[in-house]
PDB file of all heavy atoms in Angstrom:
ATOM      1  N   VAL A 237     -50.048  14.666 -46.573  1.00 90.00           N
ATOM      2  CA  VAL A 237     -50.508  14.247 -47.898  1.00 90.00           C
ATOM      3  C   VAL A 237     -50.251  12.778 -48.239  1.00 90.00           C
ATOM      4  O   VAL A 237     -51.147  12.118 -48.765  1.00 90.00           O
ATOM      5  CB  VAL A 237     -49.910  15.190 -48.964  1.00 90.00           C
ATOM      6  CG1 VAL A 237     -50.170  14.654 -50.354  1.00 90.00           C
ATOM      7  CG2 VAL A 237     -50.504  16.574 -48.816  1.00 90.00           C
ATOM      8  N   PRO A 238     -49.058  12.233 -47.938  1.00 92.00           N
ATOM      9  CA  PRO A 238     -48.841  10.817 -48.315  1.00 92.00           C
ATOM     10  C   PRO A 238     -49.890   9.851 -47.747  1.00 92.00           C
ATOM     11  O   PRO A 238     -50.319   8.958 -48.479  1.00 92.00           O
ATOM     12  CB  PRO A 238     -47.443  10.531 -47.771  1.00 92.00           C
ATOM     13  CG  PRO A 238     -46.764  11.844 -47.791  1.00 92.00           C
ATOM     14  CD  PRO A 238     -47.814  12.841 -47.438  1.00 92.00           C
ATOM     15  N   PRO A 239     -50.333  10.007 -46.478  1.00 91.00           N
ATOM     16  CA  PRO A 239     -51.364   9.066 -46.029  1.00 91.00           C
ATOM     17  C   PRO A 239     -52.663   9.210 -46.804  1.00 91.00           C
ATOM     18  O   PRO A 239     -53.391   8.228 -47.005  1.00 91.00           O
ATOM     19  CB  PRO A 239     -51.565   9.414 -44.547  1.00 91.00           C
ATOM     20  CG  PRO A 239     -50.964  10.741 -44.359  1.00 91.00           C
ATOM     21  CD  PRO A 239     -49.878  10.869 -45.371  1.00 91.00           C
ATOM     22  N   LEU A 240     -52.964  10.436 -47.244  1.00 89.00           N
ATOM     23  CA  LEU A 240     -54.160  10.588 -48.059  1.00 89.00           C
ATOM     24  C   LEU A 240     -53.993   9.832 -49.367  1.00 89.00           C
ATOM     25  O   LEU A 240     -54.916   9.160 -49.844  1.00 89.00           O
ATOM     26  CB  LEU A 240     -54.411  12.076 -48.346  1.00 89.00           C
ATOM     27  CG  LEU A 240     -54.821  12.931 -47.153  1.00 89.00           C
ATOM     28  CD1 LEU A 240     -54.922  14.390 -47.572  1.00 89.00           C
ATOM     29  CD2 LEU A 240     -56.143  12.468 -46.593  1.00 89.00           C
ATOM     30  N   VAL A 241     -52.820   9.948 -49.939  1.00 88.00           N
ATOM     31  CA  VAL A 241     -52.571   9.251 -51.208  1.00 88.00           C
ATOM     32  C   VAL A 241     -52.662   7.745 -51.016  1.00 88.00           C
ATOM     33  O   VAL A 241     -53.346   7.047 -51.770  1.00 88.00           O
ATOM     34  CB  VAL A 241     -51.186   9.652 -51.767  1.00 88.00           C
ATOM     35  CG1 VAL A 241     -50.839   8.788 -52.960  1.00 88.00           C
ATOM     36  CG2 VAL A 241     -51.165  11.115 -52.148  1.00 88.00           C
ATOM     37  N   SER A 242     -51.986   7.248 -49.977  1.00 89.00           N
ATOM     38  CA  SER A 242     -52.002   5.794 -49.796  1.00 89.00           C
ATOM     39  C   SER A 242     -53.400   5.316 -49.443  1.00 89.00           C
ATOM     40  O   SER A 242     -53.830   4.235 -49.875  1.00 89.00           O
ATOM     41  CB  SER A 242     -50.987   5.378 -48.727  1.00 89.00           C
ATOM     42  OG  SER A 242     -51.437   5.748 -47.457  1.00 89.00           O
ATOM     43  N   GLY A 243     -54.121   6.129 -48.690  1.00 86.00           N
ATOM     44  CA  GLY A 243     -55.487   5.751 -48.345  1.00 86.00           C
ATOM     45  C   GLY A 243     -56.372   5.668 -49.570  1.00 86.00           C
ATOM     46  O   GLY A 243     -57.158   4.736 -49.743  1.00 86.00           O
ATOM     47  N   LEU A 244     -56.205   6.647 -50.464  1.00 84.00           N
ATOM     48  CA  LEU A 244     -57.013   6.648 -51.663  1.00 84.00           C
ATOM     49  C   LEU A 244     -56.652   5.486 -52.574  1.00 84.00           C
ATOM     50  O   LEU A 244     -57.522   4.851 -53.169  1.00 84.00           O
ATOM     51  CB  LEU A 244     -56.824   7.965 -52.417  1.00 84.00           C
ATOM     52  CG  LEU A 244     -57.783   9.052 -51.981  1.00 84.00           C
ATOM     53  CD1 LEU A 244     -57.447  10.330 -52.707  1.00 84.00           C
ATOM     54  CD2 LEU A 244     -59.210   8.637 -52.289  1.00 84.00           C
ATOM     55  N   LEU A 245     -55.350   5.221 -52.674  1.00 83.00           N
ATOM     56  CA  LEU A 245     -54.954   4.101 -53.509  1.00 83.00           C
ATOM     57  C   LEU A 245     -55.565   2.809 -52.995  1.00 83.00           C
ATOM     58  O   LEU A 245     -55.953   1.932 -53.765  1.00 83.00           O
ATOM     59  CB  LEU A 245     -53.419   3.977 -53.522  1.00 83.00           C
ATOM     60  CG  LEU A 245     -52.683   5.026 -54.353  1.00 83.00           C
ATOM     61  CD1 LEU A 245     -51.192   4.854 -54.210  1.00 83.00           C
ATOM     62  CD2 LEU A 245     -53.094   4.920 -55.810  1.00 83.00           C
ATOM     63  N   ARG A 246     -55.680   2.751 -51.680  1.00 83.00           N
ATOM     64  CA  ARG A 246     -56.220   1.528 -51.091  1.00 83.00           C
ATOM     65  C   ARG A 246     -57.714   1.424 -51.348  1.00 83.00           C
ATOM     66  O   ARG A 246     -58.208   0.416 -51.829  1.00 83.00           O
ATOM     67  CB  ARG A 246     -55.945   1.521 -49.590  1.00 83.00           C
ATOM     68  CG  ARG A 246     -56.321   0.220 -48.901  1.00 83.00           C
ATOM     69  CD  ARG A 246     -55.945   0.248 -47.441  1.00 83.00           C
ATOM     70  NE  ARG A 246     -56.432   1.457 -46.787  1.00 83.00           N
ATOM     71  CZ  ARG A 246     -55.641   2.365 -46.226  1.00 83.00           C
ATOM     72  NH1 ARG A 246     -54.345   2.184 -46.204  1.00 83.00           N
ATOM     73  NH2 ARG A 246     -56.152   3.432 -45.666  1.00 83.00           N
ATOM     74  N   SER A 247     -58.455   2.486 -51.054  1.00 80.00           N
ATOM     75  CA  SER A 247     -59.907   2.359 -51.111  1.00 80.00           C
ATOM     76  C   SER A 247     -60.451   2.537 -52.515  1.00 80.00           C
ATOM     77  O   SER A 247     -61.259   1.773 -52.982  1.00 80.00           O
ATOM     78  CB  SER A 247     -60.550   3.391 -50.175  1.00 80.00           C
ATOM     79  OG  SER A 247     -60.203   4.684 -50.613  1.00 80.00           O
ATOM     80  N   LEU A 248     -59.979   3.565 -53.192  1.00 72.00           N
ATOM     81  CA  LEU A 248     -60.537   3.856 -54.508  1.00 72.00           C
ATOM     82  C   LEU A 248     -59.957   2.967 -55.586  1.00 72.00           C
ATOM     83  O   LEU A 248     -60.655   2.315 -56.333  1.00 72.00           O
ATOM     84  CB  LEU A 248     -60.214   5.302 -54.889  1.00 72.00           C
ATOM     85  CG  LEU A 248     -61.192   6.363 -54.458  1.00 72.00           C
ATOM     86  CD1 LEU A 248     -60.831   7.642 -55.158  1.00 72.00           C
ATOM     87  CD2 LEU A 248     -62.597   5.956 -54.860  1.00 72.00           C
ATOM     88  N   ALA A 249     -58.641   3.049 -55.657  1.00 65.00           N
ATOM     89  CA  ALA A 249     -58.019   2.394 -56.789  1.00 65.00           C
ATOM     90  C   ALA A 249     -57.965   0.899 -56.609  1.00 65.00           C
ATOM     91  O   ALA A 249     -57.634   0.173 -57.539  1.00 65.00           O
ATOM     92  CB  ALA A 249     -56.618   2.953 -56.991  1.00 65.00           C
ATOM     93  N   GLY A 250     -58.275   0.446 -55.402  1.00 70.00           N
ATOM     94  CA  GLY A 250     -58.243  -0.982 -55.172  1.00 70.00           C
ATOM     95  C   GLY A 250     -56.901  -1.586 -55.478  1.00 70.00           C
ATOM     96  O   GLY A 250     -56.787  -2.740 -55.868  1.00 70.00           O
ATOM     97  N   SER A 251     -55.851  -0.803 -55.330  1.00 75.00           N
ATOM     98  CA  SER A 251     -54.526  -1.383 -55.558  1.00 75.00           C
ATOM     99  C   SER A 251     -53.783  -1.369 -54.236  1.00 75.00           C
ATOM    100  O   SER A 251     -53.002  -0.464 -53.947  1.00 75.00           O
ATOM    101  CB  SER A 251     -53.755  -0.606 -56.621  1.00 75.00           C
ATOM    102  OG  SER A 251     -53.997   0.767 -56.502  1.00 75.00           O
ATOM    103  N   PRO A 252     -54.055  -2.373 -53.423  1.00 81.00           N
ATOM    104  CA  PRO A 252     -53.446  -2.378 -52.093  1.00 81.00           C
ATOM    105  C   PRO A 252     -51.924  -2.447 -52.111  1.00 81.00           C
ATOM    106  O   PRO A 252     -51.270  -1.920 -51.225  1.00 81.00           O
ATOM    107  CB  PRO A 252     -54.052  -3.622 -51.425  1.00 81.00           C
ATOM    108  CG  PRO A 252     -54.625  -4.433 -52.525  1.00 81.00           C
ATOM    109  CD  PRO A 252     -54.914  -3.519 -53.661  1.00 81.00           C
ATOM    110  N   THR A 253     -51.374  -3.086 -53.116  1.00 83.00           N
ATOM    111  CA  THR A 253     -49.912  -3.164 -53.150  1.00 83.00           C
ATOM    112  C   THR A 253     -49.304  -1.794 -53.317  1.00 83.00           C
ATOM    113  O   THR A 253     -48.364  -1.414 -52.602  1.00 83.00           O
ATOM    114  CB  THR A 253     -49.427  -4.043 -54.321  1.00 83.00           C
ATOM    115  OG1 THR A 253     -50.551  -4.633 -54.929  1.00 83.00           O
ATOM    116  CG2 THR A 253     -48.436  -5.081 -53.854  1.00 83.00           C
ATOM    117  N   ALA A 254     -49.831  -1.048 -54.292  1.00 82.00           N
ATOM    118  CA  ALA A 254     -49.308   0.298 -54.501  1.00 82.00           C
ATOM    119  C   ALA A 254     -49.477   1.112 -53.232  1.00 82.00           C
ATOM    120  O   ALA A 254     -48.577   1.852 -52.816  1.00 82.00           O
ATOM    121  CB  ALA A 254     -50.040   0.975 -55.663  1.00 82.00           C
ATOM    122  N   SER A 255     -50.639   0.935 -52.600  1.00 85.00           N
ATOM    123  CA  SER A 255     -50.896   1.679 -51.375  1.00 85.00           C
ATOM    124  C   SER A 255     -49.859   1.339 -50.312  1.00 85.00           C
ATOM    125  O   SER A 255     -49.330   2.219 -49.638  1.00 85.00           O
ATOM    126  CB  SER A 255     -52.308   1.357 -50.874  1.00 85.00           C
ATOM    127  OG  SER A 255     -52.443   1.736 -49.536  1.00 85.00           O
ATOM    128  N   ARG A 256     -49.567   0.054 -50.183  1.00 87.00           N
ATOM    129  CA  ARG A 256     -48.620  -0.345 -49.132  1.00 87.00           C
ATOM    130  C   ARG A 256     -47.218   0.137 -49.427  1.00 87.00           C
ATOM    131  O   ARG A 256     -46.436   0.404 -48.525  1.00 87.00           O
ATOM    132  CB  ARG A 256     -48.632  -1.869 -48.973  1.00 87.00           C
ATOM    133  CG  ARG A 256     -49.885  -2.367 -48.307  1.00 87.00           C
ATOM    134  CD  ARG A 256     -49.694  -3.745 -47.749  1.00 87.00           C
ATOM    135  NE  ARG A 256     -50.985  -4.389 -47.628  1.00 87.00           N
ATOM    136  CZ  ARG A 256     -51.401  -5.367 -48.426  1.00 87.00           C
ATOM    137  NH1 ARG A 256     -50.607  -5.838 -49.362  1.00 87.00           N
ATOM    138  NH2 ARG A 256     -52.603  -5.871 -48.269  1.00 87.00           N
ATOM    139  N   LEU A 257     -46.890   0.206 -50.710  1.00 87.00           N
ATOM    140  CA  LEU A 257     -45.551   0.680 -51.051  1.00 87.00           C
ATOM    141  C   LEU A 257     -45.421   2.180 -50.807  1.00 87.00           C
ATOM    142  O   LEU A 257     -44.407   2.644 -50.284  1.00 87.00           O
ATOM    143  CB  LEU A 257     -45.245   0.350 -52.516  1.00 87.00           C
ATOM    144  CG  LEU A 257     -44.949  -1.133 -52.760  1.00 87.00           C
ATOM    145  CD1 LEU A 257     -44.762  -1.408 -54.239  1.00 87.00           C
ATOM    146  CD2 LEU A 257     -43.694  -1.558 -51.991  1.00 87.00           C
ATOM    147  N   VAL A 258     -46.455   2.916 -51.206  1.00 87.00           N
ATOM    148  CA  VAL A 258     -46.421   4.358 -50.947  1.00 87.00           C
ATOM    149  C   VAL A 258     -46.309   4.604 -49.456  1.00 87.00           C
ATOM    150  O   VAL A 258     -45.585   5.504 -49.005  1.00 87.00           O
ATOM    151  CB  VAL A 258     -47.689   5.034 -51.522  1.00 87.00           C
ATOM    152  CG1 VAL A 258     -47.828   6.442 -50.972  1.00 87.00           C
ATOM    153  CG2 VAL A 258     -47.616   5.069 -53.032  1.00 87.00           C
ATOM    154  N   ALA A 259     -46.999   3.751 -48.672  1.00 90.00           N
ATOM    155  CA  ALA A 259     -46.974   3.957 -47.226  1.00 90.00           C
ATOM    156  C   ALA A 259     -45.576   3.826 -46.650  1.00 90.00           C
ATOM    157  O   ALA A 259     -45.295   4.381 -45.584  1.00 90.00           O
ATOM    158  CB  ALA A 259     -47.915   2.962 -46.557  1.00 90.00           C
ATOM    159  N   LEU A 260     -44.700   3.106 -47.338  1.00 90.00           N
ATOM    160  CA  LEU A 260     -43.341   2.967 -46.826  1.00 90.00           C
ATOM    161  C   LEU A 260     -42.601   4.293 -46.811  1.00 90.00           C
ATOM    162  O   LEU A 260     -41.642   4.483 -46.079  1.00 90.00           O
ATOM    163  CB  LEU A 260     -42.554   1.961 -47.692  1.00 90.00           C
ATOM    164  CG  LEU A 260     -42.670   0.499 -47.275  1.00 90.00           C
ATOM    165  CD1 LEU A 260     -41.880  -0.362 -48.241  1.00 90.00           C
ATOM    166  CD2 LEU A 260     -42.162   0.304 -45.859  1.00 90.00           C
ATOM    167  N   ALA A 261     -43.040   5.197 -47.664  1.00 91.00           N
ATOM    168  CA  ALA A 261     -42.372   6.496 -47.723  1.00 91.00           C
ATOM    169  C   ALA A 261     -43.144   7.554 -46.954  1.00 91.00           C
ATOM    170  O   ALA A 261     -42.807   8.731 -47.009  1.00 91.00           O
ATOM    171  CB  ALA A 261     -42.221   6.940 -49.179  1.00 91.00           C
TER     172      ALA A 261
END
Side-chain angles (χ1 to χ4, degrees):
Chain A
V237 170
L240 291 175
V241 172
S242 72
L244 271 176
L245 286 176
R246 187 176 50 242
S247 62
L248 271 191
S251 38
T253 354
S255 163
R256 287 199 203 107
L257 286 176
V258 166
L260 272 178

